[in-house]
């Protein structure tokens, strides 16, 4: 992976072009200064981004949260991002090369820092709701990767026992409310979960991830309004990758503002833009928002500027062994290259190496370790049994073993419930 | 006559209906499907080019918005179409259609007129996408709503004819658009024609047994009917085409002739269109024997093993018919 990125950086430099800006897309980054990394000595090892709040209400920044992470935690962030990267790269390569492969993906590569930075700010017993592009959320929140691999190929021992697949991965015991294939409602049930958690009084919070298109739905606005009005302990993280689906519609054609985070102003809560390609930047903001929520001060809207390397869905424009989808009609390869050059995994690796937390060799070894882990996960998944046909009639209810097979000529006319 | 694909037939229907009405006061919203249709040897139909970007618009993602915007356009007198192709979001237009479009004419004492069509896509054919994306149930929802016509073509001919009927009508229509049919093409008339509402189509004539289905259920029904015919059984196969109003006359007459009625639905068993078919026939006949097969009362599971087991197919139809004939 590093090879690709370095070449890409060179290519981009050679072209003498910086990042391609589309309708001031990167203006937010310039304003926040989020991409400025200041390396110093001693304990202040890491970047101190000067994030400006986008909305009128500031998000408290008197603490720089990444500073308080241990070396182990900082390395763990890298491990999680690598797991996400290689999980989806493996899915992509299998889609490209294995005939009859049953899995598919809305690929996460590019979005790793958003999920990992945000989930690192949560406790295990805090709850998180994902969206249709959600492999990264599941891994970041700690879902079992083998079972995830089994799920996306519909195996009986998958996280969802083969009932859901890629768009519906759920593992309740790590605090996942599940992914959702319908764009929008996750913010309502995420905030609703936050409301219930507050009533329970154990200091838990809830977090919803959404794509940029969330901002075009009614759910986005009603959940922010209600959560703000009632100070619900909830954090809303928007991963703005600029595009909607495979039509290639640009988000700027669908909303009337440059930064989604500014919509927080209307609800009188903090709204901030962060660099979604920087795991520490994401972590810093989400951690501050989580602390604010736990302290009873209500929700925060956080917009991560990011990019998806693959196509909206599947592997159009991708090649086996190569990261990303090229030649898609709706975006330029140069735009993709400019984002690849800011790869979140590369960036964090550099941070770890330059601050002496990992040697280059250790960083390579970490990546190899993760690759092996993912290979093993898919190998395990492939050996798992498929569900039994009749099991489709199960799990409709908790309190009913199965429903009647109404497509069969000899289906019994009724069953007794009493 | 010329060969046209499903989508081309629908686009041609829209254009011809507007020509017949003599208007281009027309509003069209779409999300995933750009309204450009081609057919070999025929002129390309490009709605945006023809009517302009002010009238033919990409909607963005919010289905509730453009379902409602369609209603608004119709209320001020434009012919309005909501090309709702996001079947995982089918409940969204339901609110607008059932609670507003279907009730306004009545509630306003006959003032509000709604010349709108909500073209609602239904999927339900393939495994792998699980509950939200593989579902087939909008037929049952909309058929229940008074104040709106609910049609569901299963042939290219009807796809065009029902579109013309719907667009020309002063009343709101729900036009259910089965995703399995998008690959169909057929030799159909180039001139405009309407398919009347409330009129079922008899696809095969017979005297031993009546099979009734609609939409994508017709695929299984026709496959089963063919197998039965191979066994020398005389099958009458009825395609409802219009769920509300439902063609009770054709149903009752056929049932009286054959004495046996099998309904086939891709929709969930409980309150599927077949349930209404059986109720109407039972209400107005004596001694008819019935059987109903449908998707079980469960969401469609993702795994192909489970989904394919549950989705009614030609073999299910054949076996249910055989059992019914033994009764
Ligand atoms: C309500 C609804 N409408 C449409 C779709 C089809 N769809 C799936 S993802 C998507 C685009 C979502 O864009 P965004 O929120 O930016 O997320 P991204 O895919 O870019 O991560 C669309 C239109 C859907 N799943 N749900
Ligand atoms: Mg997006």
């Amino acid at each position: 992976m590093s090879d690709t990125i370095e070449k890409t950086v060179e290519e981009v430099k050679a072209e003498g072009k910086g990042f391609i800006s589309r309708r001031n897309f990167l203006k937010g980054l310039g304003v926040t200064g989020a991409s400025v990394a200041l390396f110093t000595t001693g304990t202040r090892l890491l970047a101190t981004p000067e994030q400006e709040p986008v909305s009128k209400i500031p998000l408290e920044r008197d603490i720089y949260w990444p500073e308080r992470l241990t070396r182990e935690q900082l390395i763990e962030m890298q491990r999680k991002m690598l797991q996400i990267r290689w999980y989806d790269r493996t899915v992509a390569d299998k889609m490209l090369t294995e005939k009859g492969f049953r899995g598919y993906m809305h690929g996460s590569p590019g979005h790793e820092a958003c999920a990992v930075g945000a989930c690192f700010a949560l406790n295990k017993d805090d709850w998180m709701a994902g969206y249709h592009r959600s492999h990264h959320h599941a891994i970041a929140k700690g879902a079992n990767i083998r079972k995830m691999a089994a799920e996306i190929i519909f195996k009986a021992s998958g996280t969802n026992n083969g009932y859901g697949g890629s768009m519906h991965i759920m593992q309740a015991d790590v605090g996942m409310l599940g992914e959702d294939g319908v764009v929008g409602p996750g913010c309502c049930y995420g905030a609703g979960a936050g409301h219930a958690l507050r009533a329970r009084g154990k200091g838990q919070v809830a977090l919803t991830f959404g794509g940029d298109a969330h901002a075009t739905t009614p759910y986005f606005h009603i959940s922010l309004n209600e959560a703000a009005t009632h100070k619900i302990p909830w954090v809303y993280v928007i991963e703005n990758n600029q595009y909607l689906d495979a039509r290639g519609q640009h988000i700027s054609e669908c909303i009337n503002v440059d930064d989604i985070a500014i919509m927080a102003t209307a609800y009188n809560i903090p709204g901030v833009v962060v660099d979604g390609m920087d795991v520490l930047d994401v972590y810093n903001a989400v951690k501050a928002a989580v602390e604010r929520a736990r302290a009873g001060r209500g929700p925060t809207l956080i917009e991560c500027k990011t990019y998806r390397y693959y196509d909206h869905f599947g592997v159009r424009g991708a090649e086996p062994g190569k990261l990303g989808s090229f030649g898609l009609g709706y975006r330029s390869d140069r735009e993709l290259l400019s984002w690849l050059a800011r790869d979140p995994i590369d960036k964090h690796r550099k941070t770890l190496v330059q601050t002496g937390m990992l040697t280059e060799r250790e960083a390579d070894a970490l990546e190899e370790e993760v690759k092996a882990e993912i290979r093993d996960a898919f190998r395990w998944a492939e050996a798992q049994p498929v569900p039994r046909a009749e099991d489709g009639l199960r799990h409709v209810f908790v309190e009913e073993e199965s429903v009647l097979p109404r497509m069969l000529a000899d289906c019994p006319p009724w069953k007794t419930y009493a | 006559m010329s060969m046209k694909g499903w989508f081309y037939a629908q686009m041609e229907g829209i254009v011809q209906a507007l020509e017949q009405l003599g208007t281009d006061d027309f509003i069209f919203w779409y999300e995933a499907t750009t309204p450009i249709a081609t057919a070999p040897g025929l002129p390309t139909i490009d709605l945006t080019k023809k009517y302009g970007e002010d009238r033919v618009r990409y909607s963005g993602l919010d289905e509730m918005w453009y379902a409602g915007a369609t209603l608004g356009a119709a209320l001020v007198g434009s012919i309005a179409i909501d090309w709702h192709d996001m079947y995982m979001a089918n409940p969204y237009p339901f609110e607008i259609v059932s609670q507003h479009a279907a009730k306004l004419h009545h509630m306003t004492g006959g003032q509000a007129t709604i010349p709108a069509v909500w073209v609602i896509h239904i999927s339900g054919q393939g495994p792998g996408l699980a509950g939200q994306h593989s579902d087939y149930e909008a037929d049952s929802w909309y058929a229940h709503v008074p104040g709106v016509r609910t049609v569901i073509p299963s042939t290219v001919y009807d796809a065009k004819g029902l579109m013309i009927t719907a667009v020309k009508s002063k009343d709101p229509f729900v036009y259910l658009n089965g995703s399995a049919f998008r690959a169909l093409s057929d030799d159909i008339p180039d001139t405009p024609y309407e398919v009347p509402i409330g009129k079922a189509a008899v696809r095969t004539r017979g005297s031993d047994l009546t099979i009734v289905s609609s939409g994508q259920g017709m695929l299984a029904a026709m496959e089963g009917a063919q197998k039965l015919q191979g066994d020398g059984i005389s099958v009458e196969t009825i395609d409802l085409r219009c769920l509300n109003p439902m063609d009770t006359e054709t149903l009752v007459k056929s049932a009286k002739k054959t004495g046996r009625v099998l309904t086939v639905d891709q929709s969930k068993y409980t309150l599927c269109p077949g349930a209404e078919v059986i109720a109407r026939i039972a209400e107005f006949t004596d001694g008819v024997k019935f059987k109903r097969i449908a998707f079980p009362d469960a969401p469609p599971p993702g795994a192909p093993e489970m989904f394919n087991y549950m989705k009614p197919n030609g073999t299910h139809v054949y076996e249910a018919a055989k059992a019914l004939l033994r009764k």
Side-chain angles (χ1 to χ4, degrees), chain B residues 42-304:
Chain B
L42 294 172
T44 295
I45 302 174
D46 181 337
L47 293 190
T48 315
K49 247 194 196 150
K50 191 163 171 59
Y51 300 99
E53 270 186 37
D54 275 353
R55 300 191 168 280
V56 179
R57 285 297 261 245
Y58 167 70
S59 63
L61 178 137
D62 187 34
E63 294 79 14
M64 223 177 295
W65 148 248
Y66 62 97
T70 298
L71 172 62
L75 282 169
V76 297
S78 301
I79 308 292
I81 296 182
D82 170 341
W83 200 267
H84 171 82
D85 47 20
M86 289 296 177
Y87 36 80
M88 79 299 287
N90 274 353
Y92 296 177
F94 187 73
E95 199 275 331
I96 294 291
V97 171
S98 67
Q99 192 65 336
H100 305 270
K103 291 178 175 169
L104 278 173
H105 186 66
H106 190 258
M107 289 193 301
T108 59
Q111 295 176 78
T113 310
I114 300 155
V117 188
W118 283 267
V119 180
I120 303 213
H121 290 51
I122 33 182
S123 73
Q125 289 310 289
L129 293 170
Q132 296 168 340
H133 285 65
S134 292
D135 224 346
Y136 190 104
E137 55 196 348
D139 53 352
S140 299
W141 303 345
Y142 286 104
H144 178 71
V145 180
V148 62
R149 314 286 196 195
T150 297
V151 299
I152 180 162
S154 78
T155 63
V156 179
Y157 180 90
D158 286 353
K160 174 174 168 178
L162 284 170
M163 186 62 77
I164 295 183
T165 306
V167 172
K168 285 175 72 178
S169 173
K170 294 190 178 69
D171 288 312
F173 268 67
V174 165
Y175 179 116
L176 297 171
N177 194 23
S179 57
F181 300 130
R182 274 183 261 181
L184 288 187
S185 45
D186 203 357
D187 203 17
I188 61 161
D190 299 319
T191 46
Y193 58 91
E194 291 180 39
V195 169
I197 56 161
K199 191 83 200 94
V202 180
R203 301 289 181 209
T204 68
R205 293 213 174 268
S207 52
D208 294 338
L209 163 82
T210 303
I211 298 178
V212 186
S213 188
S214 60
Q216 288 172 178
M218 282 306 294
L219 299 169
M222 292 303 284
E223 193 189 319
Q226 257 160 31
K227 273 193 196 169
L228 291 161
Q229 284 165 337
D231 287 1
I233 296 160
S234 170
V235 190
E236 183 135 306
T237 316
I238 299 177
D239 177 356
L240 289 170
R241 296 198 294 196
C242 189
L243 298 177
N244 190 353
M246 193 176 270
D247 185 358
T248 312
E249 182 183 358
T250 298
L251 295 172
V252 167
K253 283 183 177 163
S254 178
K256 279 186 173 160
K257 177 171 66 174
T258 64
R260 287 182 167 81
V261 174
L262 167 67
T263 66
V264 179
D265 278 289
Q266 299 291 314
S267 213
K268 311 301 179 316
Y269 177 80
T270 300
L271 294 178
C272 62
E276 181 67 20
V277 167
I278 292 170
R280 287 183 188 222
I281 295 172
E283 191 178 355
F284 301 111
T285 58
D286 289 313
V288 174
K289 293 185 168 122
F290 297 104
K291 178 69 192 164
R292 162 167 50 140
I293 60 168
F295 200 91
D297 287 327

Side-chain angles (χ1 to χ4, degrees), chain A residues 32-47:
Chain A
T32 61
S35 49
V36 182
L38 303 169
F39 292 101
T40 56
T41 49
T43 49
R44 286 189 76 84
L45 287 168
L46 303 160

Side-chain angles (χ1 to χ4, degrees), chain A residues 111 133 211-213 239-245 251 308:
Chain A
H111 286 240
R133 182 180 317 284
D212 37 288
E239 296 171 37
N240 182 354
N241 62 14
Q242 309 180 62
Y243 291 97
L244 274 68
D245 57 17
I251 188 65
R308 59 168 159 73

